[in-house]
Amino acid sequence: MSVNGKAEVKRLFIGAGCNRIVNNVSWGACGLVSFGAQHAVAIFSPKSAQILTTLPGHKATVNCTHWLPSTKFAFKAKHLQQHYLLSGDADGVIILWELSLADNKWRHVLQLPRSHKKGITCINGFMVSPSDAIFATSSSDGTVCIWDAVFPFSSSGGDCKLSCLETLIVGSRPMVTLSLAQLPGNTGHIVLAMGGLDNKIYLYCGERTGKFVHACELKGHTDWIRSLDFSLPVSSGEADSVLLVSSSQDKGIRIWKLTLRGSLANTEGTYRRSEISLASYIEGPVFVAGSFSYQISLESLLIGHEDWVYSVQWQPPSMAAEEGFGFYQPQSVLSASMDKTMMIWQPERKTGIWMNVVTVGELSHCALGFYGGHWSSDADSILAHGYGGSFHMWRNVGCSTDNWQPQKVPSGHFAAVADIAWARHGEYMLSVSHDQTTRIFAPWHNQEPHSDGGFWNEIARPQVHGHDINCAAIIQGKGNHCFVSGAEEKVARVFEAPLSFLKTLHHAISEQSSFPEDLQADVQVLGANMSALGLSQKPIYVNATHEISDNVGNDGLDTLESVPDAVPVVLTEPPIEDQLAWHTLWPESHKLYGHGNELFSVCCDHEGKLVASSCPVSNSSGNMVMASRFMESCW
């Protein structure tokens, strides 16, 4: 209670998972990451690994977000005080948000005029000037809209002016990826690349006022186009070309080169190429934009992924080399695939042949592939989001050579949270969800000593199930942490905390380094293994394994010869996704039978010794009534 007698409420933690949609995540030039979390837009800081806020406003699932400016234009946005974010949902609604860096406050600017009748599939654009932007939106209704936005110069006031420049009808096969760029040569023309549910890349050219016309088609991929990204102008004496990278469900990545041939008024205009490489001999079509013509050639074909390549992105330019136009476009591409890996591709200095130079990823069986990959503005961090709504981030901590190490990221449920329960002494919070997981969140006091109570993190995922979990209750066990959960099945399951979790919790909430020896002697279960069907979790006993270390961080995992799958460890810092998904399971100690239908509610008495569970049943009149069972929980 405050001095004046009024209650004060302070937000300490937000947990949320990412919607598993390809274009859902965007990394802004302001250093923040946006993503859709069900019907809300969530914002998290990679530096603190915490979700800062959520932006409510959408009434349907958020499909995609895009920052203006994004990390690609961070070198131009160092002095901007207002950054803008676009978000589109499954109903075709697009909302524009404003972030003021001066006070870190968000503002709902406007909702775009309803131009799409179905869900938004992609948003892409760039800042033409600090107060002017152009962006394109695509939808599953078969249309692509091109927009112009004029922003106020300061946060003191003013309205954003937004207009639709063009609406392109692309037919019955909708576009799922877009990329916008300015054509090289300072011609004032803009090129729009789009791809979707066929094997072609479509190029449209237009001006700042609109008038976009079909220029040409690029053929080569043999399956759906999943991602497109233009580089900034590549300088070879002058900025006469841009590169377009494309990825497809054919597992391949292609790099295309758009080169300015010259003005049509100049009859002697030739195709200027300062250096001819083996990769530049395959020439594509020539298209005209205004009074200029451009040659397209296939620069390289990148083969290395073993599954669909959902995302490709050029490394953001930097101001490190003051060449030509004041920035340097690195020849480096990041790709993310459903084969559970991200790769960085670069050309060799001598031959110019593009090679895979870095591979990172969750190679274990607990990952189900990546939906997108993103660079930080300084290119020393890369971020992926996966099928399970999780984030994965790596940071290059090497000096002379690359050394990419996994980093902490926020986490949470990616489906509806059905129930939450506090530990009996308030050390942590347990939540269950229809994403078929049970998660434990707790403040990690040793992580940030200067912060109020420490940052909250997910410290364990005790149950990974094969059914949607509806309910949970913390109960009293043998002097240990226990809970009972009910799911879309007829069985209530009881779980007991293993020794690895108890020691991890001790590190998180206590400044003392020693662990109580009496509790260590009583608890003989070290961790748990998941069964093949994903229902029961079998215990791993201490006397059946090697002695575990009390100082295992995220850099390494202990190996246990007798347990080839799970590796329960004691964590001295918040775990990363791979550890959470497989190495922090709790063993299942009991199954409680008796119900005839799925469970949807459980609770316990204040002493934690009695559990009540309920399920729906049908009586003779067809109405739903409740059936409850009471069980002693002192097993």
Side-chain angles (χ1 to χ4, degrees):
M1 300 295 288
S2 62
V3 179
N4 57 10
K6 295 183 179 179
E8 295 182 356
V9 179
K10 180 181 179 181
R11 183 176 60 208
L12 295 179
F13 169 73
I14 300 174
C18 178
N19 294 340
R20 45 194 188 190
I21 303 170
V22 175
N23 297 310
N24 189 30
V25 177
S26 179
W27 201 331
C30 60
L32 302 179
V33 176
S34 63
F35 65 96
Q38 294 297 311
H39 295 180
V41 178
I43 308 295
F44 87 82
S45 170
K47 293 182 179 180
S48 63
Q50 297 288 300
I51 297 177
L52 304 180
T53 188
T54 56
L55 309 176
H58 289 282
K59 298 180 180 179
T61 301
V62 176
N63 284 350
C64 46
T65 63
H66 185 77
W67 281 95
L68 292 173
S70 62
T71 53
K72 182 190 293 188
F73 300 95
F75 70 99
K76 292 183 177 180
K78 293 183 178 180
H79 304 293
L80 291 181
Q81 293 300 311
Q82 281 76 38
H83 290 247
Y84 296 89
L85 178 65
L86 291 160
S87 59
D89 64 25
D91 285 344
V93 174
I94 302 173
I95 297 178
L96 177 65
W97 313 85
E98 180 189 76
L99 169 63
S100 175
L101 296 183
D103 52 9
N104 290 322
K105 289 186 177 181
W106 284 88
R107 181 170 70 96
H108 181 290
V109 179
L110 54 86
Q111 178 175 318
L112 274 65
R114 193 70 173 269
S115 298
H116 295 295
K117 298 180 181 179
K118 294 184 179 180
I120 307 299
T121 57
C122 185
I123 303 175
N124 186 272
F126 60 90
M127 301 289 291
V128 180
S129 68
S131 62
D132 196 4
I134 184 170
F135 62 93
T137 59
S138 62
S139 170
S140 54
D141 64 1
T143 62
V144 174
C145 294
I146 303 166
W147 306 81
D148 179 75
V150 179
F151 304 124
F153 280 99
S154 65
S155 60
S156 58
D159 297 329
C160 292
K161 298 180 181 179
L162 194 142
S163 59
C164 183
L165 300 178
E166 193 93 26
T167 299
L168 305 175
I169 308 298
V170 296
S172 59
R173 295 182 176 180
M175 299 293 126
V176 297
T177 179
L178 305 170
S179 185
L180 276 168
Q182 292 178 313
L183 283 171
N186 295 322
T187 63
H189 286 82
I190 295 172
V191 58
L192 168 64
M194 62 179 73
L197 308 187
D198 59 11
N199 310 338
K200 303 175 184 177
I201 301 171
Y202 299 89
L203 296 184
Y204 285 77
C205 293
E207 302 174 358
R208 286 284 292 106
T209 57
K211 301 178 181 178
F212 279 76
V213 296
H214 179 266
C216 64
E217 299 174 2
L218 305 181
K219 301 178 182 179
H221 287 292
T222 58
D223 209 334
W224 293 1
I225 309 298
R226 301 305 313 204
S227 182
L228 297 167
D229 189 35
F230 276 111
S231 71
L232 267 70
V234 178
S235 178
S236 57
E238 57 181 303
D240 60 355
S241 63
V242 294
L243 297 176
L244 172 67
V245 61
S246 61
S247 67
S248 168
Q249 290 182 183
D250 62 9
K251 309 175 187 178
I253 301 169
R254 291 173 179 259
I255 298 177
W256 313 81
K257 189 174 185 179
L258 282 69
T259 306
L260 175 65
R261 299 185 66 184
S263 174
L264 297 180
N266 182 9
T267 58
E268 298 180 357
T270 59
Y271 181 18
R272 294 171 294 179
R273 180 187 294 151
S274 60
E275 182 179 351
I276 299 177
S277 62
L278 291 176
S280 301
Y281 277 107
I282 305 177
E283 295 187 354
V286 176
F287 69 92
V288 176
S291 59
F292 295 88
S293 63
Y294 296 87
Q295 172 74 58
I296 300 180
S297 59
L298 179 63
E299 186 75 6
S300 185
L301 173 62
L302 313 183
I303 300 295
H305 284 293
E306 299 178 355
D307 209 334
W308 298 355
V309 185
Y310 266 133
S311 172
V312 284
Q313 191 176 95
W314 287 99
Q315 180 177 327
S318 64
M319 298 292 289
E322 296 290 341
E323 298 179 0
F325 300 92
F327 67 90
Y328 169 69
Q329 172 66 68
Q331 299 300 285
S332 180
V333 171
L334 174 67
S335 62
S337 169
M338 283 298 288
D339 66 4
K340 311 170 189 176
T341 65
M342 285 202 300
M343 296 182 179
I344 297 177
W345 307 80
Q346 294 175 356
E348 286 188 339
R349 293 184 178 181
K350 294 183 179 180
T351 63
I353 298 176
W354 285 75
M355 302 292 292
N356 169 28
V357 297
V358 175
T359 300
V360 297
E362 302 294 336
L363 302 178
S364 65
H365 50 278
C366 63
L368 293 174
F370 294 148
Y371 276 3
H374 305 270
W375 292 95
S376 64
S377 58
D378 54 8
D380 67 348
S381 299
I382 53 178
L383 176 74
H385 64 104
Y387 178 85
S390 58
F391 287 104
H392 311 258
M393 189 168 74
W394 291 265
R395 183 178 177 86
N396 188 6
V397 297
C399 297
S400 58
T401 59
D402 286 344
N403 183 14
W404 295 86
Q405 294 296 322
Q407 304 294 308
K408 295 186 292 292
V409 288
S411 63
H413 296 286
F414 64 89
V417 177
D419 199 5
I420 57 174
W422 283 101
R424 299 197 63 80
H425 299 288
E427 304 99 323
Y428 57 83
M429 179 183 66
L430 181 142
S431 62
V432 298
S433 168
H434 290 169
D435 66 4
Q436 303 183 351
T437 65
T438 299
R439 305 179 189 231
I440 290 179
F441 301 93
W444 200 283
H445 291 270
N446 294 332
Q447 183 183 4
E448 292 288 340
H450 62 275
S451 62
D452 185 12
F455 284 144
W456 282 67
N457 297 272
E458 183 180 353
I459 65 170
R461 200 168 297 170
Q463 183 183 9
V464 178
H465 204 38
H467 295 279
D468 292 358
I469 307 174
N470 295 327
C471 49
I474 303 291
I475 59 177
Q476 182 70 45
K478 300 175 182 178
N480 196 358
H481 299 271
C482 296
F483 73 91
V484 57
S485 66
E488 289 183 343
E489 55 179 344
K490 305 174 184 179
V491 182
R493 299 175 184 268
V494 181
F495 297 86
E496 186 172 349
L499 184 60
S500 59
F501 171 79
L502 297 178
K503 290 190 174 183
T504 297
L505 183 65
H506 181 76
H507 279 293
I509 66 176
S510 175
E511 297 181 357
Q512 301 176 0
S513 59
S514 61
F515 187 76
E517 294 183 1
D518 55 344
L519 187 57
Q520 183 169 345
D522 292 339
V523 181
Q524 296 299 314
V525 177
L526 178 62
N529 259 328
M530 175 65 69
S531 67
L533 296 178
L535 294 178
S536 298
Q537 294 170 194
K538 304 301 181 182
I540 302 172
Y541 293 99
V542 175
N543 55 12
T545 66
H546 293 288
E547 190 70 26
I548 64 171
S549 170
D550 285 340
N551 296 297
V552 178
N554 290 345
D555 295 335
L557 299 176
D558 286 355
T559 58
L560 305 173
E561 293 179 359
S562 59
V563 186
D565 292 331
V567 187
V569 294
V570 178
L571 298 162
T572 58
E573 58 185 32
I576 58 175
E577 177 64 25
D578 189 38
Q579 293 169 318
L580 285 170
W582 201 249
H583 306 302
T584 60
L585 295 172
W586 290 18
E588 180 182 316
S589 59
H590 292 80
K591 293 183 180 68
L592 308 180
Y593 298 96
H595 286 292
N597 289 299
E598 68 274 9
L599 278 74
F600 71 91
S601 179
V602 297
C603 66
C604 66
D605 65 340
H606 293 294
E607 294 184 1
K609 295 183 178 180
L610 291 175
V611 175
S613 61
S614 62
C615 78
V617 296
S618 298
N619 57 19
S620 57
S621 62
N623 297 323
M624 303 299 288
V625 298
M626 302 300 211
S628 299
R629 295 182 64 86
F630 290 83
M631 286 101 24
E632 288 283 352
S633 63
C634 294
W635 326 112

